[in-house]
PDB file of all heavy atoms in Angstrom:
ATOM      1  N   ALA B 279       5.878  24.500   0.584  1.00 94.00           N
ATOM      2  CA  ALA B 279       5.416  25.597  -0.268  1.00 94.00           C
ATOM      3  C   ALA B 279       4.913  26.767   0.577  1.00 94.00           C
ATOM      4  O   ALA B 279       5.167  27.935   0.248  1.00 94.00           O
ATOM      5  CB  ALA B 279       4.319  25.099  -1.196  1.00 94.00           C
ATOM      6  N   ALA B 280       4.222  26.471   1.659  1.00 94.00           N
ATOM      7  CA  ALA B 280       3.724  27.527   2.539  1.00 94.00           C
ATOM      8  C   ALA B 280       4.879  28.266   3.207  1.00 94.00           C
ATOM      9  O   ALA B 280       4.874  29.501   3.298  1.00 94.00           O
ATOM     10  CB  ALA B 280       2.787  26.943   3.597  1.00 94.00           C
ATOM     11  N   VAL B 281       5.888  27.524   3.643  1.00 93.00           N
ATOM     12  CA  VAL B 281       7.049  28.155   4.293  1.00 93.00           C
ATOM     13  C   VAL B 281       7.830  28.998   3.286  1.00 93.00           C
ATOM     14  O   VAL B 281       8.234  30.126   3.590  1.00 93.00           O
ATOM     15  CB  VAL B 281       7.952  27.097   4.956  1.00 93.00           C
ATOM     16  CG1 VAL B 281       9.271  27.697   5.406  1.00 93.00           C
ATOM     17  CG2 VAL B 281       7.220  26.460   6.127  1.00 93.00           C
ATOM     18  N   VAL B 282       8.027  28.481   2.086  1.00 95.00           N
ATOM     19  CA  VAL B 282       8.723  29.251   1.047  1.00 95.00           C
ATOM     20  C   VAL B 282       7.952  30.538   0.765  1.00 95.00           C
ATOM     21  O   VAL B 282       8.542  31.610   0.629  1.00 95.00           O
ATOM     22  CB  VAL B 282       8.899  28.411  -0.243  1.00 95.00           C
ATOM     23  CG1 VAL B 282       9.277  29.284  -1.425  1.00 95.00           C
ATOM     24  CG2 VAL B 282       9.940  27.333  -0.025  1.00 95.00           C
ATOM     25  N   GLY B 283       6.639  30.442   0.693  1.00 95.00           N
ATOM     26  CA  GLY B 283       5.833  31.630   0.460  1.00 95.00           C
ATOM     27  C   GLY B 283       5.990  32.659   1.561  1.00 95.00           C
ATOM     28  O   GLY B 283       6.098  33.858   1.290  1.00 95.00           O
ATOM     29  N   MET B 284       6.013  32.201   2.795  1.00 94.00           N
ATOM     30  CA  MET B 284       6.139  33.130   3.914  1.00 94.00           C
ATOM     31  C   MET B 284       7.544  33.731   4.008  1.00 94.00           C
ATOM     32  O   MET B 284       7.694  34.910   4.324  1.00 94.00           O
ATOM     33  CB  MET B 284       5.778  32.431   5.234  1.00 94.00           C
ATOM     34  CG  MET B 284       4.309  32.158   5.381  1.00 94.00           C
ATOM     35  SD  MET B 284       3.876  31.479   6.976  1.00 94.00           S
ATOM     36  CE  MET B 284       4.255  29.748   6.744  1.00 94.00           C
ATOM     37  N   VAL B 285       8.572  32.931   3.734  1.00 95.00           N
ATOM     38  CA  VAL B 285       9.950  33.397   3.918  1.00 95.00           C
ATOM     39  C   VAL B 285      10.448  34.187   2.708  1.00 95.00           C
ATOM     40  O   VAL B 285      10.905  35.320   2.841  1.00 95.00           O
ATOM     41  CB  VAL B 285      10.887  32.201   4.221  1.00 95.00           C
ATOM     42  CG1 VAL B 285      12.337  32.642   4.248  1.00 95.00           C
ATOM     43  CG2 VAL B 285      10.502  31.558   5.541  1.00 95.00           C
ATOM     44  N   TRP B 286      10.374  33.602   1.521  1.00 96.00           N
ATOM     45  CA  TRP B 286      10.974  34.230   0.353  1.00 96.00           C
ATOM     46  C   TRP B 286      10.026  35.144  -0.419  1.00 96.00           C
ATOM     47  O   TRP B 286      10.460  36.100  -1.042  1.00 96.00           O
ATOM     48  CB  TRP B 286      11.543  33.173  -0.589  1.00 96.00           C
ATOM     49  CG  TRP B 286      12.863  32.659  -0.120  1.00 96.00           C
ATOM     50  CD1 TRP B 286      14.043  33.331  -0.176  1.00 96.00           C
ATOM     51  CD2 TRP B 286      13.130  31.412   0.497  1.00 96.00           C
ATOM     52  NE1 TRP B 286      15.044  32.558   0.371  1.00 96.00           N
ATOM     53  CE2 TRP B 286      14.506  31.359   0.795  1.00 96.00           C
ATOM     54  CE3 TRP B 286      12.347  30.315   0.827  1.00 96.00           C
ATOM     55  CZ2 TRP B 286      15.099  30.281   1.400  1.00 96.00           C
ATOM     56  CZ3 TRP B 286      12.942  29.239   1.429  1.00 96.00           C
ATOM     57  CH2 TRP B 286      14.303  29.227   1.710  1.00 96.00           C
ATOM     58  N   LEU B 287       8.741  34.829  -0.409  1.00 95.00           N
ATOM     59  CA  LEU B 287       7.796  35.620  -1.201  1.00 95.00           C
ATOM     60  C   LEU B 287       7.059  36.662  -0.371  1.00 95.00           C
ATOM     61  O   LEU B 287       6.166  37.330  -0.862  1.00 95.00           O
ATOM     62  CB  LEU B 287       6.796  34.690  -1.897  1.00 95.00           C
ATOM     63  CG  LEU B 287       7.426  33.649  -2.828  1.00 95.00           C
ATOM     64  CD1 LEU B 287       6.352  32.749  -3.411  1.00 95.00           C
ATOM     65  CD2 LEU B 287       8.228  34.315  -3.930  1.00 95.00           C
ATOM     66  N   ARG B 288       7.417  36.754   0.912  1.00 93.00           N
ATOM     67  CA  ARG B 288       6.863  37.772   1.815  1.00 93.00           C
ATOM     68  C   ARG B 288       5.342  37.688   1.962  1.00 93.00           C
ATOM     69  O   ARG B 288       4.671  38.694   2.134  1.00 93.00           O
ATOM     70  CB  ARG B 288       7.246  39.177   1.363  1.00 93.00           C
ATOM     71  CG  ARG B 288       8.712  39.396   1.147  1.00 93.00           C
ATOM     72  CD  ARG B 288       9.433  39.550   2.441  1.00 93.00           C
ATOM     73  NE  ARG B 288      10.836  39.885   2.159  1.00 93.00           N
ATOM     74  CZ  ARG B 288      11.788  39.682   3.007  1.00 93.00           C
ATOM     75  NH1 ARG B 288      11.517  39.189   4.173  1.00 93.00           N
ATOM     76  NH2 ARG B 288      13.026  39.975   2.700  1.00 93.00           N
ATOM     77  N   GLU B 289       4.786  36.465   1.876  1.00 94.00           N
ATOM     78  CA  GLU B 289       3.372  36.289   2.142  1.00 94.00           C
ATOM     79  C   GLU B 289       3.145  36.437   3.643  1.00 94.00           C
ATOM     80  O   GLU B 289       4.059  36.210   4.438  1.00 94.00           O
ATOM     81  CB  GLU B 289       2.899  34.920   1.659  1.00 94.00           C
ATOM     82  CG  GLU B 289       2.954  34.772   0.153  1.00 94.00           C
ATOM     83  CD  GLU B 289       2.535  33.402  -0.318  1.00 94.00           C
ATOM     84  OE1 GLU B 289       2.278  32.525   0.518  1.00 94.00           O
ATOM     85  OE2 GLU B 289       2.483  33.210  -1.539  1.00 94.00           O
ATOM     86  N   PRO B 290       1.937  36.812   4.058  1.00 95.00           N
ATOM     87  CA  PRO B 290       1.696  37.022   5.490  1.00 95.00           C
ATOM     88  C   PRO B 290       1.876  35.734   6.293  1.00 95.00           C
ATOM     89  O   PRO B 290       1.386  34.679   5.906  1.00 95.00           O
ATOM     90  CB  PRO B 290       0.258  37.523   5.563  1.00 95.00           C
ATOM     91  CG  PRO B 290      -0.338  37.287   4.228  1.00 95.00           C
ATOM     92  CD  PRO B 290       0.769  37.095   3.247  1.00 95.00           C
ATOM     93  N   ALA B 291       2.602  35.847   7.394  1.00 94.00           N
ATOM     94  CA  ALA B 291       2.833  34.707   8.288  1.00 94.00           C
ATOM     95  C   ALA B 291       1.973  34.899   9.530  1.00 94.00           C
ATOM     96  O   ALA B 291       2.459  35.245  10.596  1.00 94.00           O
ATOM     97  CB  ALA B 291       4.302  34.603   8.648  1.00 94.00           C
ATOM     98  N   THR B 292       0.682  34.667   9.371  1.00 95.00           N
ATOM     99  CA  THR B 292      -0.237  34.846  10.491  1.00 95.00           C
ATOM    100  C   THR B 292      -0.131  33.667  11.448  1.00 95.00           C
ATOM    101  O   THR B 292       0.379  32.592  11.079  1.00 95.00           O
ATOM    102  CB  THR B 292      -1.686  34.954   9.986  1.00 95.00           C
ATOM    103  OG1 THR B 292      -2.042  33.726   9.345  1.00 95.00           O
ATOM    104  CG2 THR B 292      -1.843  36.115   9.005  1.00 95.00           C
ATOM    105  N   ALA B 293      -0.623  33.868  12.652  1.00 97.00           N
ATOM    106  CA  ALA B 293      -0.601  32.796  13.646  1.00 97.00           C
ATOM    107  C   ALA B 293      -1.400  31.594  13.157  1.00 97.00           C
ATOM    108  O   ALA B 293      -0.992  30.446  13.341  1.00 97.00           O
ATOM    109  CB  ALA B 293      -1.153  33.302  14.972  1.00 97.00           C
ATOM    110  N   ALA B 294      -2.526  31.836  12.523  1.00 96.00           N
ATOM    111  CA  ALA B 294      -3.353  30.734  12.015  1.00 96.00           C
ATOM    112  C   ALA B 294      -2.617  29.953  10.937  1.00 96.00           C
ATOM    113  O   ALA B 294      -2.653  28.710  10.916  1.00 96.00           O
ATOM    114  CB  ALA B 294      -4.669  31.278  11.467  1.00 96.00           C
ATOM    115  N   ARG B 295      -1.946  30.644  10.054  1.00 95.00           N
ATOM    116  CA  ARG B 295      -1.221  29.963   8.972  1.00 95.00           C
ATOM    117  C   ARG B 295      -0.091  29.103   9.524  1.00 95.00           C
ATOM    118  O   ARG B 295       0.100  27.960   9.102  1.00 95.00           O
ATOM    119  CB  ARG B 295      -0.679  31.013   8.018  1.00 95.00           C
ATOM    120  CG  ARG B 295      -0.190  30.427   6.743  1.00 95.00           C
ATOM    121  CD  ARG B 295      -0.036  31.489   5.713  1.00 95.00           C
ATOM    122  NE  ARG B 295       0.355  30.834   4.471  1.00 95.00           N
ATOM    123  CZ  ARG B 295       0.772  31.460   3.410  1.00 95.00           C
ATOM    124  NH1 ARG B 295       0.835  32.760   3.409  1.00 95.00           N
ATOM    125  NH2 ARG B 295       1.119  30.790   2.352  1.00 95.00           N
ATOM    126  N   ILE B 296       0.666  29.646  10.451  1.00 96.00           N
ATOM    127  CA  ILE B 296       1.746  28.881  11.076  1.00 96.00           C
ATOM    128  C   ILE B 296       1.180  27.688  11.832  1.00 96.00           C
ATOM    129  O   ILE B 296       1.713  26.579  11.761  1.00 96.00           O
ATOM    130  CB  ILE B 296       2.586  29.787  11.985  1.00 96.00           C
ATOM    131  CG1 ILE B 296       3.324  30.826  11.132  1.00 96.00           C
ATOM    132  CG2 ILE B 296       3.571  28.974  12.823  1.00 96.00           C
ATOM    133  CD1 ILE B 296       3.971  31.931  11.912  1.00 96.00           C
ATOM    134  N   PHE B 297       0.072  27.886  12.539  1.00 97.00           N
ATOM    135  CA  PHE B 297      -0.564  26.796  13.267  1.00 97.00           C
ATOM    136  C   PHE B 297      -0.936  25.656  12.337  1.00 97.00           C
ATOM    137  O   PHE B 297      -0.666  24.489  12.630  1.00 97.00           O
ATOM    138  CB  PHE B 297      -1.823  27.299  13.999  1.00 97.00           C
ATOM    139  CG  PHE B 297      -2.673  26.198  14.559  1.00 97.00           C
ATOM    140  CD1 PHE B 297      -2.294  25.541  15.718  1.00 97.00           C
ATOM    141  CD2 PHE B 297      -3.841  25.817  13.929  1.00 97.00           C
ATOM    142  CE1 PHE B 297      -3.065  24.511  16.237  1.00 97.00           C
ATOM    143  CE2 PHE B 297      -4.615  24.789  14.436  1.00 97.00           C
ATOM    144  CZ  PHE B 297      -4.233  24.134  15.596  1.00 97.00           C
ATOM    145  N   PHE B 298      -1.550  25.968  11.197  1.00 95.00           N
ATOM    146  CA  PHE B 298      -1.976  24.912  10.287  1.00 95.00           C
ATOM    147  C   PHE B 298      -0.807  24.229   9.577  1.00 95.00           C
ATOM    148  O   PHE B 298      -0.875  23.033   9.278  1.00 95.00           O
ATOM    149  CB  PHE B 298      -3.015  25.432   9.300  1.00 95.00           C
ATOM    150  CG  PHE B 298      -4.358  25.626   9.934  1.00 95.00           C
ATOM    151  CD1 PHE B 298      -4.902  26.878  10.079  1.00 95.00           C
ATOM    152  CD2 PHE B 298      -5.065  24.539  10.426  1.00 95.00           C
ATOM    153  CE1 PHE B 298      -6.126  27.063  10.686  1.00 95.00           C
ATOM    154  CE2 PHE B 298      -6.291  24.704  11.037  1.00 95.00           C
ATOM    155  CZ  PHE B 298      -6.836  25.962  11.169  1.00 95.00           C
ATOM    156  N   VAL B 299       0.274  24.938   9.330  1.00 94.00           N
ATOM    157  CA  VAL B 299       1.470  24.293   8.771  1.00 94.00           C
ATOM    158  C   VAL B 299       2.036  23.306   9.782  1.00 94.00           C
ATOM    159  O   VAL B 299       2.381  22.167   9.440  1.00 94.00           O
ATOM    160  CB  VAL B 299       2.524  25.336   8.349  1.00 94.00           C
ATOM    161  CG1 VAL B 299       3.853  24.676   8.032  1.00 94.00           C
ATOM    162  CG2 VAL B 299       2.033  26.136   7.152  1.00 94.00           C
ATOM    163  N   VAL B 300       2.108  23.723  11.048  1.00 95.00           N
ATOM    164  CA  VAL B 300       2.599  22.820  12.104  1.00 95.00           C
ATOM    165  C   VAL B 300       1.646  21.640  12.257  1.00 95.00           C
ATOM    166  O   VAL B 300       2.092  20.491  12.391  1.00 95.00           O
ATOM    167  CB  VAL B 300       2.774  23.591  13.434  1.00 95.00           C
ATOM    168  CG1 VAL B 300       3.043  22.640  14.584  1.00 95.00           C
ATOM    169  CG2 VAL B 300       3.893  24.597  13.308  1.00 95.00           C
ATOM    170  N   LEU B 301       0.348  21.889  12.206  1.00 95.00           N
ATOM    171  CA  LEU B 301      -0.634  20.810  12.299  1.00 95.00           C
ATOM    172  C   LEU B 301      -0.462  19.807  11.157  1.00 95.00           C
ATOM    173  O   LEU B 301      -0.539  18.590  11.364  1.00 95.00           O
ATOM    174  CB  LEU B 301      -2.044  21.391  12.285  1.00 95.00           C
ATOM    175  CG  LEU B 301      -3.194  20.405  12.461  1.00 95.00           C
ATOM    176  CD1 LEU B 301      -3.129  19.755  13.840  1.00 95.00           C
ATOM    177  CD2 LEU B 301      -4.521  21.133  12.272  1.00 95.00           C
ATOM    178  N   LEU B 302      -0.192  20.306   9.965  1.00 91.00           N
ATOM    179  CA  LEU B 302       0.040  19.433   8.817  1.00 91.00           C
ATOM    180  C   LEU B 302       1.265  18.557   9.035  1.00 91.00           C
ATOM    181  O   LEU B 302       1.236  17.351   8.768  1.00 91.00           O
ATOM    182  CB  LEU B 302       0.208  20.283   7.561  1.00 91.00           C
ATOM    183  CG  LEU B 302       0.455  19.553   6.247  1.00 91.00           C
ATOM    184  CD1 LEU B 302      -0.698  18.627   5.922  1.00 91.00           C
ATOM    185  CD2 LEU B 302       0.661  20.545   5.142  1.00 91.00           C
ATOM    186  N   LEU B 303       2.337  19.149   9.550  1.00 90.00           N
ATOM    187  CA  LEU B 303       3.547  18.363   9.809  1.00 90.00           C
ATOM    188  C   LEU B 303       3.323  17.333  10.905  1.00 90.00           C
ATOM    189  O   LEU B 303       3.822  16.198  10.813  1.00 90.00           O
ATOM    190  CB  LEU B 303       4.707  19.292  10.158  1.00 90.00           C
ATOM    191  CG  LEU B 303       5.178  20.183   9.009  1.00 90.00           C
ATOM    192  CD1 LEU B 303       6.228  21.159   9.499  1.00 90.00           C
ATOM    193  CD2 LEU B 303       5.695  19.349   7.855  1.00 90.00           C
TER     194      LEU B 303
END
Side-chain angles (χ1 to χ4, degrees):
V281 170
V282 165
M284 288 185 278
V285 173
W286 281 286
L287 302 177
R288 307 283 185 202
E289 294 178 356
T292 63
R295 193 164 184 191
I296 294 169
F297 169 77
F298 286 113
V299 169
V300 170
L301 184 64
L302 180 60
L303 293 174

